[in-house]
Amino acid sequence: EADIYQTPRYLVIGTGKKITLECSQTMGHDKMYWYQQDPGMELHLIHYSYGVNSTEKGDLSSESTVSRIRTEHFPLTLESARPSHTSQYLCASSESYFYNSPLHFGNGTRLTVT
Amino acid sequence: TQLLEQSPQFLSIQEGENLTVYCNSSSVFSSLQWYRQEPGEGPVLLVTVVTGGEVKKLKRLTFQFGDARKDSSLHITAAQPGDTGLYLCAGGSNTDKLIFGTGTRLQVFP
């Protein structure tokens, strides 16, 4: 049973549309992450957060933005979607900042921009 | 920049065969995590190793952290179709972000 939820699971939209990918966790974790993953490939960190009102950019440059108004909620927004944004987006959380702390992942949103 | 290279990139084997997946870096990591990701799902943690030379076993899976903490391996004995998936290693260091490896896609045929 998942403790971290992502919606929608699949999204097909046209170029130029604004979209928000939702991510919620029920574990009370302070640290949350967004990763971008092309099918069957490695994960690239695009955003992360230490807690409420904290957001940081990851290693991979992204045109998306994030917000963290509540501990449990970490949505990702694309103001104007383009075909190059087509990918899978994975949300994750971890219990602590300690480098051994495992990540708990959602099942992802597969985004296709036509 | 810390990088984790995994090999092989793809592996297709028959049920019952043994296999080893490697995770290598030129950098030292404080810990190494292994994840498995099945199609349509997010990665799930299998194990964390933290001590150089450490060996951990999880049923038919054996994980080893290199003595110098720059590499790790995952050995699967008598692979089963349920082992099919993408295997990802991830290194932790004194930064607050995990570095994920390039991934190994395993397909086990019945």
Side-chain angles (χ1 to χ4, degrees), chain A residues 35-45 60 86-90 105 110, chain B residues 4-6 8-10 35-43 85-89 99-106:
Chain A
Y35 286 89
Q36 186 172 338
Q37 181 187 34
D38 290 329
M41 303 297 285
E42 61 198 287
L43 275 65
H44 296 284
L45 181 66
L60 181 68
T86 294
S87 189
Q88 173 158 262
Y89 293 84
L90 288 163
F105 284 89
R110 186 174 294 282
Chain B
L4 277 168
E5 295 286 338
Q6 288 185 239
Q9 187 176 3
F10 301 98
Y35 293 80
R36 180 171 65 211
Q37 183 179 20
E38 297 184 21
E41 299 182 7
L86 178 68
Y87 288 81
L88 293 159
C89 63
I99 305 297
F100 275 89
T102 49
T104 293
R105 179 173 290 283
L106 171 65

Side-chain angles (χ1 to χ4, degrees), chain A residues 12-37:
Chain A
V12 181
I13 60 166
T15 299
K17 298 290 187 184
K18 177 181 178 179
I19 60 166
T20 297
L21 308 184
E22 301 288 348
C23 175
S24 295
Q25 50 100 0
T26 59
M27 297 171 282
H29 290 170
D30 283 328
K31 202 159 182 188
M32 295 189 72
Y33 312 77
W34 277 102
Y35 286 89
Q36 186 172 338
Q37 181 187 34

Side-chain angles (χ1 to χ4, degrees), chain A residues 9-10 31 33 35 37-45 48 50 57-59 88 90 97-108 110, chain B residues 4 9-10 30-33 35 37 40-45 48-50 86 88 91-103 105:
Chain A
R9 286 296 306 272
Y10 303 93
K31 202 159 182 188
Y33 312 77
Y35 286 89
Q37 181 187 34
D38 290 329
M41 303 297 285
E42 61 198 287
L43 275 65
H44 296 284
L45 181 66
Y48 62 103
Y50 292 109
K57 289 192 179 293
D59 303 317
Q88 173 158 262
L90 288 163
Y97 309 132
F98 191 53
Y99 54 75
N100 285 349
S101 186
L103 299 185
H104 300 263
F105 284 89
N107 284 331
R110 186 174 294 282
Chain B
L4 277 168
Q9 187 176 3
F10 301 98
S30 303
S31 67
L32 232 297
Q33 300 177 6
Y35 293 80
Q37 183 179 20
E41 299 182 7
V44 175
L45 180 71
T48 301
V49 286
V50 298
L86 178 68
L88 293 159
S93 65
N94 57 358
T95 68
D96 56 3
K97 293 175 285 184
L98 282 177
I99 305 297
F100 275 89
T102 49
R105 179 173 290 283

Side-chain angles (χ1 to χ4, degrees), chain A residues 54-112:
Chain A
S54 155
T55 60
E56 304 285 343
K57 289 192 179 293
D59 303 317
L60 181 68
S61 176
S62 174
E63 294 165 346
S64 58
T65 59
V66 293
S67 62
R68 191 85 184 276
I69 299 173
R70 303 197 314 267
T71 298
E72 63 271 22
H73 195 213
F74 191 40
L76 181 145
T77 298
L78 274 166
E79 290 293 334
S80 180
R82 295 207 301 268
S84 60
H85 297 139
T86 294
S87 189
Q88 173 158 262
Y89 293 84
L90 288 163
C91 181
S93 70
S94 64
E95 185 174 0
S96 79
Y97 309 132
F98 191 53
Y99 54 75
N100 285 349
S101 186
L103 299 185
H104 300 263
F105 284 89
N107 284 331
T109 293
R110 186 174 294 282
L111 173 66
T112 302

